[in-house]
Amino acid sequence: QVQLVESGGGLVQSGESLRLGCQASGFTLENYAVGWLRQAPNKEREGIACITRSEGRSAGSTFYADSVKGRFTISRDNAKNTVFLQMNSLEPDDTAEYFCVKMGSHYEYEIWGQGTRVSVSF
């Protein structure tokens, strides 16, 4: 079965860290670009990080939204068929449902995970 499964969400205090995981099954994740998006209550969905596929031009390049740049890091563990999002210095504004997505050749969203909830208290 082709799917993505997120893990690692939870409730933390401001300034703390979490690491989210996005594990693929049914396909090899390193062959595709992967993004992380988040959806907060009453806010628009926001793309926050992306990592390109592991081969080819610009392999393994990363991109971040300004809102998380310098605090979040996206990375791959190809042996685990997983993409991680390390989130440091978390703020209450980071509270949201976080989703990972497998991207197609034009960076369109092809497969979504089920989401994992991150809550940051003051």
Side-chain angles (χ1 to χ4, degrees):
Q1 184 178 2
V2 173
Q3 64 178 359
L4 295 171
V5 178
E6 296 100 334
S7 61
L11 172 64
V12 296
Q13 293 185 328
S14 183
E16 294 185 338
S17 299
L18 281 173
R19 188 176 77 158
L20 306 183
C22 172
Q23 186 170 39
S25 59
F27 66 100
T28 302
L29 196 57
E30 67 179 285
N31 294 335
Y32 302 92
V34 176
W36 283 96
L37 299 89
R38 64 186 181 186
Q39 178 80 61
N42 301 315
K43 292 185 179 179
E44 291 189 359
R45 187 176 67 198
E46 178 186 21
I48 57 173
C50 172
I51 186 167
T52 59
R53 61 193 182 104
S54 295
E55 290 186 356
R57 190 167 53 183
S58 302
S61 297
T62 58
F63 304 90
Y64 300 94
D66 288 343
S67 58
V68 305
K69 196 173 294 183
R71 300 188 298 124
F72 291 11
T73 303
I74 188 171
S75 64
R76 293 184 181 272
D77 185 333
N78 293 332
K80 295 182 178 179
N81 211 25
T82 299
V83 168
F84 293 103
L85 185 68
Q86 178 67 43
M87 306 187 297
N88 297 330
S89 302
L90 283 161
E91 306 166 351
D93 282 349
D94 295 317
T95 295
E97 191 81 11
Y98 284 70
F99 301 89
C100 65
V101 294
K102 167 188 173 288
M103 296 181 174
S105 58
H106 299 287
Y107 294 92
E108 68 275 23
Y109 302 153
E110 291 189 331
I111 299 174
W112 290 76
Q114 85 287 352
T116 187
R117 180 76 178 168
V118 172
S119 297
V120 185
S121 62
F122 287 96

